[in-house]
Amino acid sequence: MINKHKFDILLSKPIVEMDPWTFNHAVAAVFPDMMKRSVPGYRYLLSMIGRLANRYVENSTQVYDLGCSTGAVTIEIEKNIHGRGCKIIAVDNSEAMIQCCRIDTQTFCSTETKIEIIEDDLQNIEIYNASLVVLNFTLQFYPREARQNLLNAIWSGLNPYGMLVLSEKFSFSDIKIDHILSDMHYDFKRMNGYSDLEIYQKRCMLDQVMLTESLSTHIQRLKSAGFQHNTLWFQYFNFGSILALKPGPP
């Protein structure tokens, strides 16, 4: 059974009462198209995460895709590490996303790498024997008060020389810069076929649940968890990705 993703027209008509954004079945059905047209550099970032996995995932270790949505990161990693005796653990708390993830991974992944797909909150996941953990636009939807504990758990579960990829939409304390990058993002969405109505309605719905933070806040939190080796390795407008490493023995 192939999951036939649809073109995103969810917000093309006016909504009288806009509820907070949820990752329901309607969103899951159009999510790949939504991400491609909404997140600058998304497909390139996916491919580069795959290349990182190819270079740095160790044999017989575990890889965690936390907040896996429909499984795009899991699929990209699996393409690059099969034959190494690894296990990929993909986790999301949305039933709709998990259903799509199961279908897509069965369709696009080989049987050489074991993939475990879990519907649960991230705080309930035990991380161990990990050489790579990915939070790809996940932390921004996670409660702020729980973010440090999650990063601490990731640090503890990573093997020496293990890697964390943390991708997020950033906010900026410089209001002028924040406005410029936000405007460029909206232009990007217009270029990909979204109307001003769609952009406005989605922003209103997301503002209630997507709590973005500055790059410096993310870096400080990573350092507090133990990730002294970290850098911004990708940025496109107000979207970016941080690479963080756990050191090995002295």
Side-chain angles (χ1 to χ4, degrees):
M1 178 180 179
I2 297 176
N3 189 23
K4 296 181 179 180
H5 298 295
K6 302 175 182 177
F7 190 72
D8 177 19
I9 55 170
L10 293 182
L11 304 178
S12 59
K13 296 180 179 179
I15 300 173
V16 177
E17 295 185 10
M18 287 182 280
D19 295 322
W21 184 264
T22 58
F23 293 99
N24 55 28
H25 287 280
V27 171
V30 301
F31 193 73
D33 180 69
M34 180 184 293
M35 293 298 284
K36 178 180 69 176
R37 296 167 58 212
S38 298
V39 178
Y42 179 69
R43 288 193 290 186
Y44 180 75
L45 179 57
L46 283 181
S47 68
M48 290 300 99
I49 291 173
R51 295 310 301 163
L52 279 175
N54 181 271
R55 284 180 172 270
Y56 297 108
V57 168
E58 299 288 341
N59 293 350
S60 303
T61 60
Q62 301 198 130
V63 177
Y64 290 80
D65 180 6
L66 302 180
C68 62
S69 63
T70 59
V73 167
T74 291
I75 293 167
E76 194 64 39
I77 290 174
E78 194 278 335
K79 287 194 304 186
N80 282 275
I81 67 167
H82 49 70
R84 301 188 190 180
C86 297
K87 179 180 179 181
I88 302 175
I89 300 168
V91 186
D92 204 289
N93 64 359
S94 164
E95 178 188 3
M97 291 292 189
I98 286 295
Q99 288 180 2
C100 288
C101 183
R102 292 187 193 281
I103 295 170
D104 281 4
T105 53
Q106 288 173 4
T107 303
F108 299 111
C109 293
S110 72
T111 58
E112 294 183 36
T113 304
K114 184 176 180 181
I115 299 175
E116 182 178 1
I117 300 172
I118 302 172
E119 180 189 340
D120 205 345
D121 191 281
L122 300 185
Q123 67 182 353
N124 298 325
I125 303 302
E126 181 186 3
I127 299 170
Y128 64 96
N129 187 30
S131 57
L132 174 64
V133 177
V134 179
L135 287 164
N136 204 43
F137 305 108
T138 298
L139 204 63
Q140 59 203 21
F141 293 103
Y142 204 66
R144 278 189 174 139
E145 64 275 11
R147 293 178 186 182
Q148 187 66 64
N149 286 341
L150 177 59
L151 293 181
N152 293 348
I154 291 170
W155 165 267
S156 297
L158 276 169
N159 295 337
Y161 308 110
M163 177 183 298
L164 167 65
V165 175
L166 172 63
S167 309
E168 290 280 290
K169 181 181 181 181
F170 299 133
S171 57
F172 298 85
S173 57
D174 187 318
I175 301 302
K176 291 185 181 297
I177 293 296
D178 194 71
H179 285 168
I180 289 170
L181 295 180
S182 293
D183 287 345
M184 293 301 292
H185 177 220
Y186 299 145
D187 280 347
F188 173 86
K189 296 180 78 169
R190 292 184 187 99
M191 290 171 60
N192 283 298
Y194 285 115
S195 67
D196 287 342
L197 174 65
E198 289 172 295
I199 293 169
Y200 169 74
Q201 291 187 147
K202 187 172 184 181
R203 184 174 75 241
C204 290
M205 297 170 76
L206 280 173
D207 280 348
Q208 303 178 63
V209 296
M210 189 172 75
L211 306 176
T212 62
E213 297 176 305
S214 67
L215 174 61
S216 61
T217 297
H218 287 294
I219 294 297
Q220 184 55 54
R221 191 181 285 125
L222 287 167
K223 289 182 177 179
S224 295
F227 291 102
Q228 298 304 311
H229 303 287
N230 57 76
T231 188
L232 179 70
W233 73 297
F234 175 88
Q235 184 174 351
Y236 197 144
F237 303 147
N238 46 357
F239 290 78
S241 188
I242 304 166
L243 185 64
L245 301 174
K246 182 172 183 176

